[in-house]
Amino acid sequence: MTENYLTIESVCKSYGKGDAAQLVLDNVTLNVSEGERIAILGPSGCGKSTLLNLVSGIDRVDSGTISVNGIDLTSLAEKELTLFRRENIGFVYQSFNLIQTLTALENIQLPLQINDFSAGQTKDLSMQLLERVGLGRRASAFPDQLSGGEQQRVAIARAMVHSPALVLADEHTGNLDANTGREMIDLFNELAVSGNQTVLMVTHSMAIASTADRIVRFHQGRLATETDPDESSLAW
Amino acid sequence: MLIGMALGVAVVFAVDIANESAKRAFSLSLDTVTGRTTHQIVAGANGLDETIYTKLRTELGIRQSAPLIQGDVNLLGVQTPGLSHSSESLQLLGVDIFAEPMFRNQVGRTNTDLDSLKLLKQGAVILADTTAQRLHAGIGDHLDVIDGGMQLELIATVSTELQPGFESIAMVDIATAQELLGLQGRLSRIDLILPLPPSIAENNPTIEETIRTIEAEFPGVSVSDAARRDGALSQMTEAFHTNLLAMSLLALLVGAFLIYNTVTLSVLQRRQTFGQLRALGIQRQQLFRSILTETLAFGLIGTLAGVLVGYFLGSLLLTLVTRTINDLYFTLDVSQVEFSTFTLIKALMIGLGVSLLSAVPPALEASNSNPGIVLQRSSVERRVSNLAPIIFLGGVLLLLVGVAILWVSNASLWAGFLAIFFIVAGYSLMIPKLLLILTKLADRRTGRSSTLGSYPVRSLSASLSRTSVAIAALAVSVSATAGVGIMIGSFRLSVDNWLVNTLQSDVYIRASSGGSIPEPVLGQLSALTNLSGTQTARMTEVETNTVPVRLMAVGFSGDTVASYQFNKRSNKVGATDQSMPTARQRMESLDNSDSVIISEPFANKSNLAVNDTLTLLTDVGAIRFAIAGIFTNYTTGKGLVVISMNTYRRYWQDAQISSIGLSFNNKDVAPEFDAISARLRSIVANESLSIRSNHEIRERSLLIFDQTFAITHVLRILTVGIAFVGILSALMALSLERRSEYAILRAVGLTPNELRKLLILQTGLMGLIAGLLALPLGIAMSKVLVGVINVRSFGWTMEYIVPSAVLLECLLLAVLAAILAGIYPAQKLSNLSPSEALRHQ
């Protein structure tokens, strides 16, 4: 693992203005190595998802810096940030967030087309990944024709199809039953490890967190503790 | 929501009040001219001998009578520094000041204490105060009569508040009118108030007895009912007003789409709140009622705003309506916008009614679903998608009803409009299914190459309840543009062809209204070198047994050809093209018999055909003339009857000539027109005659044609404007619904600019589909307008052409309107914060 692939330095973020302003992230600092898989644990509203949004560049920090592979995301203009995101980041959401009017295959093709992959590459890569997530026969199904587990498989495939260096997962098993959730984590980890992708995943589940290389805990917008998964599983 | 409602109501109210104001002004103008008159004594083309009036009063003792001269006059305003030199076309009313108070007391309503005897002064005129202001004229000022060779002195003004309807009138003494119109010793008519008072008339004769006595005493005159004559005049513009009303109803239909969309949008914006309210236990009926109550409150505000905007819009439209009436029918001057309580209530009911009706589907949608489903838009869309084939069949049924109405109704204009309404409504219902088919076809093409290309196409069918209504609104308004555009194009071409055929002479010399070309001038003109032929005409107005008509007596000499296009369709005799007599043969046959040819609108309105007879009041009494042909004619107003000059002079003691057409050996006189004109001017010097080349007349006629349709253009623009707002509100609704999807696209890596382009592509596609769907409807509409509505409204038949430029223009208009409407939502969405949108999901 290379040192400090992702560097989060003194990041603060609040929502609202004036008296109604709510500090969500308070001086958060975190370093992540390339290929490392980090699980972020913490109660609801502690700022976990906000941190992922900031790292993905779909939200902006109030102060502090976030660097990915040496590029300071906080200094990039909106367009540059989007171009960086489309190439380097994959995002898996709790509520799948598939485009309802596109088929499973088309949802997976989307990042490849946005990244200007050729038509042949787009077709081959997306079909290969669809096969890997076990939905080769459901390629032409629309999201509302798929089960929750199937939808999340498509979402994982979409997040990873263009081989982004950094994959973010926001409670990606939160809407699934325990068995399906476990299957999903195995699939997710398998794909991430095989692609040597750096992972930042938010979860409530200790079981899921324990599959990561490192666990960080959040409390009231601050990074509370960092633990080894083995120690954590003992503690829980 | 308020803007949507206000716009829909504004257009309907504006057209309504413009129509109503023009109608009221016309009615007041008729009242001003007719006054308390119950009957009128009229005679042949030359009017009445003024001695009849004297005999009427002295020998028959009918003192409730007033002589009148009526004609048209163009007054040139007073030249004022810094202001343009204005002119006004007015009705000239020549009255006998001593008989007038009994009939029309305008002199008693002047703004100044007028000594009524002042009107007896030669050239004295009384105008409405508003007309005088427009002419920049004060009391004592002199106004030039255009083409009349004399001046009128303004001696008093009449307040239009005291005497509404006076705006179109120039009142002079009868002697002044006779001189101005060249009618020395003649009267246009004598007004009567019948029955005669018992104290005056012996044996208390009935109205019928009095009429019989007058007609027996003065051969060649007839007594007609004033109200019936006024009614006939009012009917002339009825079709024009009906057409305007139909355009406003079309705007209302598009406005209804708009109101539906805006109400839906307002409900949609709060779907989550409604879902939460339902989850908290609010009952369906409570939610339904509260949505309707709220819509009613907003509807009231929007409607009131619409009425206010409509009032100002109506003032602008009134100018165009009045100009069209002036160009087409008669002199009418109206500046006061008026509306009745009924019109106001109608606008309020339309605004509130359409708002409430539009609110029912979204209110039901929000209240009838279970709390969980309220939040799921896709369930509604799936239902709409499943219903699309049934709605399509309903549309086909309505369309067939429309066609059936056209089939069974013979001459009813309203039935024609009802048929158009059914066709438009039916076609609109077919649009959701057609949209699904078109998007499927488009998806096959775009989907093959790009997922991103599929996305905007599929979004259209995925939000069918929103997109189909917006596309239907745009398609209907663009189809109206196409339909009216094709109709105007066909009409213009027909009028142009008709003008080319009718204006066979190279130069026309015309006497001022009611006047004639002096005999010596005629002699000098026929001695011109290079002249190949002349066509003389005498234009007068005569009574038939029903309505007054324009009678044109024509004579030809030399090579001048008869210039009438005869209508084969109107002939009852089923002659083929080959066996039908030529135009020249027909004209020559007029010389040898008591026959006339009549204009097509007059034939259609009066249900007359070839070989029927027409009774005209001649100087030797009522004579029945055979109808030898029906010719194409696109002039409006009173019917036109053409008779040969020889026949005319046999029955009317009138040797005067109103106009003369000159044909030259060198056919292209345009470059030499100035020289010819100068030569003719030297011949007709000191005469108030106008000299115009056929090119000039044709250009002026086409200019008037274009001005006539200005109002239609305005209404079409307004309708497209409403559809534009409709598309905008539909896109706003879509952007709300699909906010999270756009956020996902942004999160996946679409830049704001790329998202903006994608959205513009989507709205452009909506416009393209609306444009494509509008074309068949537009062509169908134009077919009905040309083949049914124009024939039933004006009695005109015309050629039918579909200019590809009009179709292309409509496609572009639809795409452009949609793209323009898409700019704001696209801009707004491209700036959306993906994290915020996803957080609120």
Side-chain angles (χ1 to χ4, degrees):
Chain A
M1 288 182 195
T2 316
E3 282 301 304
N4 297 348
Y5 178 74
L6 167 66
T7 306
I8 299 166
E9 189 79 47
S10 311
V11 164
C12 292
K13 176 72 183 174
S14 57
Y15 291 111
K17 283 177 183 171
D19 292 342
Q22 191 193 346
L23 188 63
V24 181
L25 290 179
D26 183 8
N27 204 27
V28 173
T29 298
L30 178 69
N31 291 312
V32 183
S33 308
E34 187 179 5
E36 191 180 13
R37 286 175 296 119
I38 303 286
I40 303 172
L41 272 173
S44 296
C46 69
K48 310 182 299 282
S49 298
T50 302
L51 183 71
L52 289 200
N53 286 343
L54 294 173
V55 171
S56 71
I58 62 173
D59 209 348
R60 296 281 191 168
V61 298
D62 291 344
S63 63
T65 57
I66 297 174
S67 301
V68 177
N69 201 18
I71 298 169
D72 180 6
L73 301 189
T74 52
S75 66
L76 295 181
E78 185 58 41
K79 188 182 172 185
E80 293 166 327
L81 194 57
T82 308
L83 294 176
F84 177 82
R85 180 167 66 239
R86 71 160 61 157
E87 207 177 314
N88 298 291
I89 293 172
F91 211 136
V92 189
Y93 302 88
Q94 180 182 357
S95 52
F96 325 133
N97 280 344
L98 298 178
I99 305 277
Q100 296 297 312
T101 49
L102 301 181
T103 63
L105 182 66
E106 288 166 342
N107 263 287
I108 297 170
Q109 286 176 337
L110 206 55
L112 296 173
Q113 286 192 347
I114 292 175
N115 278 296
D116 290 332
F117 279 62
S118 70
Q121 272 182 308
T122 301
K123 198 177 169 188
D124 293 346
L125 284 173
S126 51
M127 206 54 220
Q128 276 170 23
L129 204 57
L130 200 62
E131 294 281 357
R132 271 187 85 180
V133 298
L135 291 173
R137 291 185 176 180
R138 306 284 280 152
S140 55
F142 285 93
D144 61 357
Q145 296 166 330
L146 298 170
S147 68
E150 287 173 325
Q151 287 191 56
Q152 194 58 298
R153 282 166 191 266
V154 176
I156 290 171
R158 186 180 68 185
M160 297 193 166
V161 71
H162 56 304
S163 306
L166 180 62
V167 178
L168 310 171
D170 190 357
E171 296 185 33
H172 54 311
T173 59
N175 278 356
L176 304 173
D177 61 65
N179 282 338
T180 317
R182 210 168 303 121
E183 278 176 36
M184 213 55 58
I185 284 297
D186 290 343
L187 174 70
F188 181 76
N189 285 336
E190 182 199 325
L191 291 171
V193 169
S194 67
N196 192 31
Q197 285 159 319
T198 306
V199 172
L200 214 58
M201 62 177 169
V202 162
T203 180
H204 284 296
S205 158
M206 191 56 224
I208 292 169
S210 63
T211 66
D213 298 326
R214 186 156 49 112
I215 298 170
V216 293
R217 289 173 195 276
F218 264 63
H219 185 67
Q220 292 182 339
R222 284 170 177 265
L223 193 62
T225 51
E226 285 197 38
T227 50
D228 184 86
D230 298 333
E231 292 170 21
S232 295
S233 60
L234 287 174
W236 284 78
Chain B
M1 182 165 159
L2 289 176
I3 294 174
M5 286 179 183
L7 262 178
V9 173
V11 175
V12 180
F13 188 60
V15 173
D16 255 8
I17 62 171
N19 258 344
E20 201 177 316
S21 303
K23 271 182 172 177
R24 187 169 151 72
F26 174 60
S27 157
L28 288 170
S29 171
L30 276 184
D31 285 350
T32 305
V33 176
T34 310
R36 288 186 286 279
T37 307
T38 61
H39 290 77
Q40 294 168 341
I41 302 176
V42 290
N46 299 315
L48 301 156
D49 190 314
E50 65 182 5
T51 56
I52 291 177
Y53 176 61
T54 319
K55 286 180 186 165
L56 197 69
R57 289 179 76 98
T58 55
E59 293 174 17
L60 295 185
I62 300 175
R63 293 191 176 276
Q64 293 202 113
S65 55
L68 200 87
I69 289 199
Q70 206 174 345
D72 294 328
V73 68
N74 289 317
L75 292 185
L76 197 63
V78 174
Q79 180 71 63
T80 311
L83 291 171
S84 60
H85 210 170
S86 58
S87 67
E88 290 278 325
S89 291
L90 300 166
Q91 284 183 53
L92 186 74
L93 207 60
V95 297
D96 176 358
I97 199 68
F98 301 109
E100 270 307 287
M102 218 183 314
F103 288 80
R104 297 160 280 264
N105 192 22
Q106 281 91 10
V107 177
R109 290 174 183 156
T110 51
N111 288 340
T112 48
D113 291 332
L114 176 75
D115 173 4
S116 55
L117 292 177
K118 275 190 176 175
L119 193 64
L120 291 176
K121 187 180 158 193
Q122 185 70 351
V125 65
I126 300 175
L127 298 173
D129 48 4
T130 46
T131 312
Q133 277 164 22
R134 280 198 299 275
L135 290 167
H136 313 301
I139 306 295
D141 281 343
H142 287 83
L143 300 157
D144 284 323
V145 178
I146 301 170
D147 290 340
M150 69 182 282
Q151 277 195 329
L152 296 180
E153 183 192 347
L154 183 64
I155 57 158
T157 57
V158 170
S159 161
T160 45
E161 280 178 22
L162 290 172
Q163 182 58 60
F166 201 81
E167 277 189 315
S168 324
I169 289 166
M171 184 180 267
V172 294
D173 178 56
I174 208 148
T176 306
Q178 283 174 329
E179 189 190 338
L180 204 54
L181 300 178
L183 292 172
Q184 279 83 355
R186 314 294 299 176
L187 300 173
S188 299
R189 61 172 206 251
I190 299 169
D191 287 350
L192 302 172
I193 298 174
L194 297 179
L196 301 173
S199 57
I200 293 175
E202 290 172 20
N203 307 325
N204 294 340
T206 62
I207 293 175
E208 288 71 28
E209 283 167 347
T210 312
I211 292 172
R212 273 199 298 274
T213 309
I214 295 169
E215 289 182 343
E217 187 68 28
F218 308 109
V221 307
S222 96
V223 181
S224 63
D225 187 311
R228 200 165 62 91
R229 283 172 61 91
D230 286 356
L233 278 173
S234 301
Q235 270 181 359
M236 286 197 319
T237 54
E238 206 50 52
F240 171 67
H241 290 296
T242 309
N243 275 305
L244 280 183
L245 187 66
M247 283 297 281
S248 81
L249 289 177
L250 184 73
L252 176 70
L253 185 68
V254 178
F257 283 129
L258 172 63
I259 293 174
Y260 169 80
N261 258 346
T262 46
V263 171
T264 309
L265 176 64
S266 85
V267 174
L268 186 72
Q269 279 169 328
R270 291 164 298 157
R271 287 179 69 78
Q272 237 165 345
T273 313
F274 293 145
Q276 284 156 359
L277 287 172
R278 288 278 290 120
L280 286 172
I282 296 280
Q283 288 184 331
R284 283 174 181 171
Q285 294 88 333
Q286 284 177 301
L287 190 56
F288 182 74
R289 269 201 304 271
S290 64
I291 292 174
L292 287 194
T293 311
E294 184 204 60
T295 307
L296 200 63
F298 275 109
L300 186 65
I301 299 169
T303 304
L304 289 175
V307 166
L308 199 67
V309 174
Y311 181 81
F312 292 109
L313 195 61
S315 320
L316 298 176
L317 287 184
L318 183 58
T319 316
L320 293 173
V321 170
T322 315
R323 191 169 71 186
T324 306
I325 292 176
N326 275 317
D327 286 342
L328 290 184
Y329 302 100
F330 35 70
T331 311
L332 181 69
D333 206 340
V334 44
S335 55
Q336 205 164 353
V337 182
E338 290 183 44
F339 60 88
S340 63
T341 319
F342 173 72
T343 308
L344 183 64
I345 291 172
K346 195 168 83 180
L348 292 175
M349 295 308 288
I350 284 171
L352 293 178
V354 174
S355 302
L356 264 187
L357 281 178
S358 307
V360 171
L364 278 176
E365 184 188 315
S367 60
N368 274 358
S369 316
N370 68 50
I373 303 245
V374 171
L375 303 175
Q376 289 173 21
R377 182 68 209 159
S378 57
S379 66
V380 178
E381 293 303 345
R382 206 170 297 128
R383 218 168 54 219
V384 173
S385 198
N386 292 337
L387 279 173
I390 301 164
I391 297 171
F392 180 86
L393 287 177
V396 172
L397 202 68
L398 279 186
L399 203 108
L400 291 175
V401 170
V403 174
I405 291 174
L406 282 182
W407 195 266
V408 295
S409 66
N410 268 334
S412 164
L413 181 58
W414 279 110
F417 282 125
L418 191 67
I420 287 192
F421 176 79
F422 272 107
I423 290 170
V424 170
Y427 192 78
S428 304
L429 291 180
M430 290 164 67
I431 283 178
K433 182 64 191 166
L434 292 173
L435 177 62
L436 286 178
I437 295 169
L438 284 175
T439 48
K440 209 167 192 172
L441 287 173
D443 191 25
R444 273 191 203 152
R445 288 200 66 81
T446 54
R448 226 177 281 154
S449 56
S450 154
T451 302
L452 272 175
S454 276
Y455 176 72
V457 179
R458 285 194 205 155
S459 294
L460 294 185
S461 50
S463 303
L464 197 63
S465 72
R466 309 270 164 259
T467 51
S468 60
V469 175
I471 286 174
L474 187 59
V476 167
S477 57
V478 170
S479 69
T481 299
V484 175
I486 293 170
M487 187 268 284
I488 293 175
S490 301
F491 197 3
R492 202 175 194 280
L493 180 83
S494 304
V495 169
D496 199 15
N497 285 343
W498 168 69
L499 285 170
V500 168
N501 282 309
T502 305
L503 301 172
Q504 288 290 320
S505 299
D506 298 314
V507 176
Y508 288 85
I509 301 169
R510 194 172 64 86
S512 59
S513 180
S516 62
I517 300 173
E519 202 65 41
V521 173
L522 283 174
Q524 281 177 288
L525 287 174
S526 48
L528 277 171
T529 53
N530 238 357
L531 196 66
S532 62
T534 57
Q535 179 183 347
T536 51
R538 173 64 175 154
M539 182 66 99
T540 54
E541 195 174 303
V542 298
E543 293 290 322
T544 66
N545 40 4
T546 50
V547 288
V549 292
R550 289 171 295 156
L551 179 70
M552 187 159 84
V554 290
F556 301 96
S557 74
D559 291 344
T560 310
V561 291
S563 47
Y564 295 91
Q565 290 177 296
F566 285 95
N567 190 318
K568 302 173 193 84
R569 201 181 62 81
S570 302
N571 290 345
K572 275 183 183 167
V573 180
T576 61
D577 276 0
Q578 287 75 19
S579 64
M580 283 177 70
T582 63
R584 176 130 205 166
Q585 283 168 334
R586 280 188 205 251
M587 294 309 295
E588 282 168 355
S589 75
L590 291 186
D591 269 344
N592 310 319
S593 59
D594 285 352
S595 52
V596 291
I597 55 172
I598 62 173
S599 64
E600 184 186 48
F602 178 54
N604 285 339
K605 289 269 173 198
S606 312
N607 201 22
L608 291 170
V610 173
N611 295 338
D612 283 350
T613 56
L614 175 70
T615 304
L616 297 177
L617 195 59
T618 72
D619 287 350
V620 294
I623 300 287
R624 286 168 65 164
F625 291 87
I627 297 170
I630 291 166
F631 61 92
T632 304
N633 185 274
Y634 293 116
T635 57
T636 49
K638 294 180 183 116
L640 181 62
V641 176
V642 174
I643 195 167
S644 88
M645 193 63 89
N646 292 339
T647 311
Y648 176 72
R649 286 180 177 162
R650 275 208 307 276
Y651 291 105
W652 282 270
Q653 309 309 311
D654 179 15
Q656 295 182 51
I657 298 290
S658 312
S659 67
I660 183 161
L662 306 174
S663 298
F664 293 91
N665 288 323
N666 176 9
K667 290 314 287 179
D668 188 13
V669 291
E672 301 168 29
F673 180 69
D674 286 344
I676 293 174
S677 181
R679 212 161 76 222
L680 293 174
R681 283 248 166 258
S682 65
I683 295 172
V684 301
N686 305 321
E687 304 294 342
S688 51
L689 302 174
S690 77
I691 302 168
R692 290 207 171 113
S693 72
N694 65 1
H695 291 285
E696 202 181 334
I697 297 173
R698 193 171 142 227
E699 273 167 26
R700 182 161 163 68
S701 302
L702 290 176
L703 183 74
I704 290 174
F705 178 92
D706 293 337
Q707 279 176 359
T708 305
F709 284 101
I711 177 110
T712 327
H713 291 305
V714 172
L715 288 177
R716 281 159 70 200
I717 290 166
L718 283 172
T719 311
V720 175
I722 291 172
F724 167 83
V725 181
I727 285 271
L728 181 67
S729 68
L731 291 174
M732 295 301 286
L734 270 182
S735 64
L736 268 175
E737 271 171 13
R738 306 212 155 253
R739 205 174 136 82
S740 61
E741 272 192 10
Y742 300 134
I744 296 165
L745 287 172
R746 285 276 290 112
V748 169
L750 225 54
T751 62
N753 199 29
E754 286 167 339
L755 182 61
R756 198 179 300 125
K757 279 184 193 161
L758 197 71
L759 293 168
I760 293 287
L761 179 73
Q762 187 176 6
T763 59
L765 191 67
M766 279 176 86
L768 183 66
I769 291 176
L772 287 172
L773 290 175
L775 297 183
L777 183 61
I779 291 173
M781 229 188 256
S782 68
K783 278 260 179 203
V784 180
L785 286 172
V786 169
V788 180
I789 301 295
N790 263 308
V791 177
R792 293 184 187 179
S793 299
F794 306 105
W796 294 324
T797 56
M798 58 186 78
E799 294 166 51
Y800 180 74
I801 49 149
V802 181
S804 47
V806 172
L807 301 184
L808 193 67
E809 201 180 281
C810 287
L811 260 185
L812 288 175
L813 178 71
V815 174
L816 198 71
I819 287 178
L820 285 176
I823 289 175
Y824 174 68
Q827 187 60 32
K828 209 174 162 198
L829 281 173
S830 64
N831 290 332
L832 121 160
S833 155
S835 66
E836 204 176 312
L838 290 171
R839 198 167 55 243
H840 287 145
Q841 193 184 10

